[in-house]
Amino acid sequence: MGMMQEFREFAVKGNVIDLAVGVIIGGAFGKIVDSVVSDLIMPVVGLVFGKLDFSNLFLVLGAVPEGTVQTLDGLRKAGVPVLAYGNFITVAVNFIILAFIIFLMIKQVNRLKRSAPPAPVVAPATPEDIVLLREIRDSLTRNTP
């Protein structure tokens, strides 16, 4: 029973829950970035570089059977070993864009944290007994010849 109790305490800690939420949001965010890259950025890059599509760049490493379509999917379905360096380029572009977006987000959060003015320091109220003692002291100094 001790191990189950210990596991429950571990699983319910705030840090583990925060990490789980971060992983789930990160996965969804990764899909969004993948869509931005493949659906928005790569077509523009392909247009600039003359209809270049990185996802279809590959190098055939084995013998190609007769009648096999010379596309990445066709070669993979035929069991031909291929070096799909175009997919690597696409994933690298995804990573760079994701890292840049996270950099911008962290920069913005840091800016917002810095812009909040510090709260003015309020001097703590002097306790009543100290005030009374000061009044007695002042009264005594005035009455002494």
Side-chain angles (χ1 to χ4, degrees), residues 48-100:
V48 169
F49 290 108
K51 306 275 185 197
L52 179 65
D53 182 15
F54 288 127
S55 63
N56 287 324
L57 297 176
F58 59 90
L59 180 64
V60 178
L61 300 176
V64 180
E66 285 292 321
T68 304
V69 181
Q70 293 291 325
T71 63
L72 183 60
D73 288 336
L75 292 169
R76 283 186 173 168
K77 286 179 184 175
V80 178
V82 291
L83 182 68
Y85 64 92
N87 284 340
F88 175 76
I89 292 172
T90 303
V91 171
V93 169
N94 285 357
F95 173 77
I96 291 169
I97 291 170
L98 181 63
F100 183 70

Side-chain angles (χ1 to χ4, degrees), residues 3-87:
M3 189 166 137
M4 290 302 289
Q5 176 80 14
E6 193 175 337
F7 176 73
R8 192 179 110 244
E9 288 175 8
F10 168 76
V12 179
K13 283 185 181 176
N15 293 341
V16 174
I17 302 294
D18 293 343
L19 179 63
V21 169
V23 167
I24 292 168
I25 290 175
F29 190 69
K31 289 180 183 178
I32 291 171
V33 170
D34 187 42
S35 175
V36 166
V37 170
S38 62
D39 299 333
L40 301 176
I41 293 175
M42 293 312 266
V44 173
V45 170
L47 180 67
V48 169
F49 290 108
K51 306 275 185 197
L52 179 65
D53 182 15
F54 288 127
S55 63
N56 287 324
L57 297 176
F58 59 90
L59 180 64
V60 178
L61 300 176
V64 180
E66 285 292 321
T68 304
V69 181
Q70 293 291 325
T71 63
L72 183 60
D73 288 336
L75 292 169
R76 283 186 173 168
K77 286 179 184 175
V80 178
V82 291
L83 182 68
Y85 64 92
N87 284 340

Side-chain angles (χ1 to χ4, degrees), residues 126 128-145:
T126 308
E128 188 177 338
D129 57 344
I130 302 291
V131 173
L132 289 173
L133 287 171
R134 287 181 183 164
E135 288 176 7
I136 293 170
R137 179 195 64 198
D138 294 342
S139 172
L140 287 172
T141 54
R142 275 181 277 154
N143 291 336
T144 5

